[in-house]
Amino acid sequence: MTNENPRTPTAALVMNPLATRKTSLYRLRGTGPTEEEDLRSFVLPRYLKRDGFEAREVDHNGISGLLVSGTIAPGPADWCELLSFLTGGSVAEENRTALALLLVRTEKAIYGLTYGMGHLMIDPIRIDPGFGIEFAVRCLNEDRITKVRRQIMDARGRTDENSAISGENIRGFGIEQFGEIVSQISGQIVGVPLTFTRDDTRPAHVTGNDRSIKLHLGGAPAALLHDLQQIEEVCARPNPLPEFEFIAQVRPLNPKSEQVRLLDERLDIMLGEGGANRMALAVPSVCRDRFEFAESFKVALAGHTQSYSELDIDQLVAAVQHRPQGSRLVALRKGRVQMFADTDDAEPISGKVPADHWFTAEVPGGVVHYFYWQGRWYEIGAEYLTVIDRRVAELLARPTTVTMPPWTKGTEHDEEDHDEGWYNAQIAAQDGYVLLDKNTVRTKRLRGGGLELSDVLGPGGQFICVKKADKSTAPLNHLFAQGRVAIETLRYDLEARKKFLAKLDKLAPEHNLDTSFSSPTVVYAILLKGGVPVTSESLFAFAKVSLLNTATALEGMGAHVEVVSISRTATTGML
């Protein structure tokens, strides 16, 4: 008679065929047919050689693979010495970290199941970065989303994470559907017959991120293989569920992948060619809040250090352009840019940020496009780009209700370009227009700072925001933010609204302005390089993303948005 302890894990699984365990699952990238892959190549070599670690082949009840496991015991915890000193007694506790990685081979792929800190053993180059999101957006219940983590791909560089314990509709998380990277999403699964849900008494939940999925997987060999087959069938579905299509259109690339290596090479060549047609300056997220107060920028790049009153893309490109091929992008990554609140570089208002984080580039790749942003590559799907271009074209096609005079260059005796202050005065010289440039409003809510609500007020109360943007996305991001913040402030800050109206009464007491601000008009007047018209082709991709997100936010507050191109030679707008 067999005397088996029913409390042992093996016996428990035999007794309960529905037993499962929440597990992190990675899909791994091979270099050839699945059956020919050397599974050890997916594991970082140091763990295969480390004392106390074991790697053994697995061929058990249909599971073919490799198991690597071990424990790391680095010695006393780093807080032991501190506690010994504080308490006067010896403290000698030890951290022990257990790692296990089970590599499983199926007909379609190699999977890594990790336990404890087992994910540390996977060679990151071999991880398929699209797997987690790819699975989640094909099987999640749109009304039972519990967590979303996302990042906006513009100068704000904002990362948000929102949770709903009981789950809610995906729309409730306020995701901006343009230029937003969803790097993690959690919720309830529908339509996937996993081992965990076979008895129909409990729903399954999944967390999908840009590296893995985490869900309950079968604890018996047949059950695990069944669950992997179901996961593969979900991933084979041609499209995400309609509610999640926008999520799958933007995805980060594995920084150690072959694709990223090739993109780095292409960008390095672009830097050597010098022209910045598909490159632009972008403000890093860590610098965004203080960028507007910067009076100088110290750039330490390619062996030279120089200060600039304004930063533009040409300065960064020129510093590395003539370096040997293969070293230009590396130099940008090693370079540093620091912001200062004064012109003497004595009052730093930022740390020393890698120069490539100030730099963004667009590389077409056939049906998709790739973007380098804040030091990392992203892939943008073709359908996504088509939707963005169509929405931008619709926005730009709206009729405008203001008139913009030409922004001329200086005379032949005055080589300098006319500045923005000069141009705003030209707009305001027209009948019914009021100059507001540098006429700021200060309130307690603004923490003592002054807010310029617009550059010029139009004859119908339009808030006209003006910007020249020929070498950088930063001025346009600043421009779009100006209009958005202006409307938010006038709607929600009573003190600012009263002070603004008081100023306007003094400047133009007869001005035609709806003081309820229930449906204001915001006009973005833009001068691009060479005075070319603003179109979906002439705008850099991230500028289009910022424009659409801003327009969505403004329209949500009841505002109407117009965009008008400024010409060097002719009057534009409402003619």
Side-chain angles (χ1 to χ4, degrees), residues 105-365:
R105 196 192 310 262
T106 72
E107 292 182 1
K108 294 184 178 180
I110 305 294
Y111 294 95
L113 291 79
T114 65
Y115 305 88
M117 300 297 286
H119 64 277
L120 298 176
M121 293 192 283
I122 302 176
D123 185 341
I125 295 177
R126 310 301 291 273
I127 293 174
D128 184 343
F131 172 53
I133 299 296
E134 175 187 327
F135 174 78
V137 298
R138 284 166 169 77
C139 63
L140 281 171
N141 182 340
E142 63 173 300
D143 292 317
R144 290 291 183 269
I145 306 302
T146 56
K147 181 182 288 187
V148 173
R149 180 185 299 156
R150 68 279 183 90
Q151 188 169 31
I152 304 294
M153 291 182 71
D154 65 11
R156 289 176 288 172
R158 191 186 75 227
T159 299
D160 289 332
E161 184 172 303
N162 302 98
S163 301
I165 295 175
S166 60
E168 64 175 86
N169 189 281
I170 184 64
R171 293 189 297 273
F173 287 85
I175 298 176
E176 299 181 23
Q177 296 193 13
F178 299 100
E180 184 148 304
I181 305 161
V182 174
S183 58
Q184 179 175 305
I185 186 167
S186 304
Q188 190 179 112
I189 299 174
V190 291
V192 187
L194 297 170
T195 302
F196 186 79
T197 59
R198 272 188 181 174
D199 59 3
D200 292 326
T201 63
R202 53 190 179 179
H205 290 77
V206 66
T207 294
N209 59 40
D210 54 7
R211 290 166 59 85
S212 66
I213 59 176
K214 190 169 187 177
L215 77 171
H216 280 90
L217 294 175
L224 174 59
L225 292 173
H226 165 81
D227 289 346
L228 291 179
Q229 181 182 9
Q230 295 304 314
I231 290 169
E232 289 179 339
E233 288 181 2
V234 170
C235 292
R237 295 172 185 173
N239 298 302
L241 295 171
E243 301 81 5
F244 303 105
E245 283 183 343
F246 68 96
I247 293 176
Q249 291 292 329
V250 181
R251 70 184 188 100
L253 298 180
N254 186 329
K256 295 186 178 181
S257 66
E258 178 67 10
Q259 180 65 62
V260 163
R261 186 187 68 79
L262 294 173
L263 288 169
D264 282 353
E265 290 179 357
R266 290 185 63 182
L267 180 53
D268 193 88
I269 293 171
M270 288 170 60
L271 289 167
E273 292 170 348
N277 292 339
R278 309 308 297 175
M279 296 181 277
L281 199 72
V283 182
S285 57
V286 295
C287 298
R288 186 64 191 92
D289 290 343
R290 305 293 292 171
F291 177 74
E292 297 170 13
F293 303 100
E295 293 294 332
S296 65
F297 302 83
K298 180 182 285 187
V299 180
L301 182 58
H304 301 280
T305 300
Q306 190 166 348
S307 290
Y308 301 95
S309 58
E310 292 187 8
L311 197 63
D312 67 47
I313 187 63
D314 287 345
Q315 296 157 354
L316 300 181
V317 173
V320 300
Q321 179 181 353
H322 300 296
R323 294 179 64 84
Q325 185 170 328
S327 68
R328 301 167 189 131
L329 183 55
V330 171
L332 276 175
R333 288 171 173 160
K334 291 181 178 179
R336 294 294 183 267
V337 177
Q338 187 171 21
M339 302 190 304
F340 293 84
D342 65 322
T343 56
D344 298 323
D345 298 344
E347 298 178 37
I349 56 173
S350 80
K352 297 177 181 179
V353 179
D356 71 313
H357 286 210
W358 287 87
F359 172 89
T360 185
E362 178 181 353
V363 177

Side-chain angles (χ1 to χ4, degrees), residues 60 71 85 185 234 247 256 318 332 454 523 545 557:
H60 175 64
T71 299
F85 179 76
I185 186 167
V234 170
I247 293 176
K256 295 186 178 181
L332 276 175
S454 74
V523 180
V545 166
M557 292 185 281

Side-chain angles (χ1 to χ4, degrees), residues 392-422:
V392 168
E394 291 171 357
L395 181 59
L396 299 180
R398 293 177 181 175
T400 56
T401 56
V402 297
T403 301
M404 293 292 108
W407 190 330
T408 60
K409 293 190 175 183
T411 65
E412 42 183 27
H413 300 296
D414 179 11
E415 299 274 331
E416 291 295 318
D417 196 5
H418 287 137
D419 64 15
E420 189 176 305
W422 174 89

Side-chain angles (χ1 to χ4, degrees), residues 375-397:
R376 190 167 183 183
W377 284 103
Y378 294 83
E379 179 183 284
I380 313 293
E383 293 180 7
Y384 184 83
L385 291 171
T386 300
V387 171
I388 288 178
D389 285 341
R390 184 174 69 245
R391 288 288 301 274
V392 168
E394 291 171 357
L395 181 59
L396 299 180

Side-chain angles (χ1 to χ4, degrees), residues 77-93:
D78 60 4
W79 38 261
C80 290
E81 184 178 358
L82 171 64
L83 284 182
S84 298
F85 179 76
L86 288 174
T87 62
S90 176
V91 179
E93 304 298 338

